[in-house]
Amino acid sequence: VDAASSSILYRKIALPAFGFSKPEQIHFFRNLATMVAAGLSIADSLRVLDEQAANPGLKKAVGGMVADIENGQKLSVAMRKFPSYFSEYIVETVNVGEVTGKLGDILDHISVDLEHDIRLVTRQLKFSLQHPHEPSSAPWGRRGRTTSEHHRCAAWRERQN
């Protein structure tokens, strides 16, 4: 697969994971990590990200987070108020970064995890498109059953004969 078609697949499968797409999430967390690691305050970093955001819903969420942080809330608490943008996993991971004092590293780790998710889905999609009749290209077997269910049914049929 050449680079042009690979980037098309990347854009096509990067469906919104919550309130914003995986590439937007990667951009958000990678840039937030960079700014926090450089010593910029979380509120100032979020203001920069608010200016960069094209998604109006994300702009509203980030604006609300800035207000909460300026009122003394932690980033994880501010994120928790926007569950359509930040999963519980992300909120708890950010909380760990705040507690341990390694928020910049944790934010970067989140962006790496999100990139890994996209690569994995892309790889699975490419395999499924290239090998549509391979049983391993889908998690289910015949008649919509999972592979393990299919094996249990086959074993039951053998015992009946």
Side-chain angles (χ1 to χ4, degrees), residues 40-74:
L40 207 59
S41 73
I42 295 171
D44 288 340
S45 301
L46 288 173
R47 277 191 205 91
V48 170
L49 291 171
D50 183 39
E51 292 172 9
Q52 294 175 351
N55 181 332
L58 180 61
K59 286 175 106 36
K60 183 177 178 181
V62 171
M65 289 167 45
V66 169
D68 288 343
I69 289 168
E70 288 176 340
N71 288 327
Q73 296 289 323
K74 294 190 320 182

Side-chain angles (χ1 to χ4, degrees), residues 77-121:
V77 173
M79 286 179 158
R80 186 168 275 121
K81 294 180 181 178
F82 300 96
S84 62
Y85 291 92
F86 305 104
S87 69
E88 189 63 27
Y89 166 76
I90 288 177
V91 170
E92 288 303 321
T93 305
V94 168
N95 186 42
V96 168
E98 291 169 328
V99 169
T100 61
K102 298 187 178 207
L103 184 59
D105 294 338
I106 292 293
L107 293 169
D108 190 54
H109 181 74
I110 291 170
S111 67
V112 169
D113 282 351
L114 292 168
E115 285 177 335
H116 175 73
D117 289 348
I118 287 179
R119 282 195 304 273
L120 179 63
V121 170

Side-chain angles (χ1 to χ4, degrees), residues 135-146:
S136 61
S137 68
W140 53 88
R142 288 184 263 169
R143 290 188 228 130
R145 294 188 182 116
T146 64

Side-chain angles (χ1 to χ4, degrees), residues 118-156:
I118 287 179
R119 282 195 304 273
L120 179 63
V121 170
T122 301
R123 191 173 342 135
Q124 290 172 340
L125 179 62
K126 285 178 183 178
F127 181 84
S128 295
L129 291 173
Q130 292 170 350
H131 307 285
H133 301 293
E134 295 275 336
S136 61
S137 68
W140 53 88
R142 288 184 263 169
R143 290 188 228 130
R145 294 188 182 116
T146 64
T147 304
S148 61
E149 289 172 332
H150 176 72
H151 290 301
R152 283 195 302 268
C153 290
W156 180 83

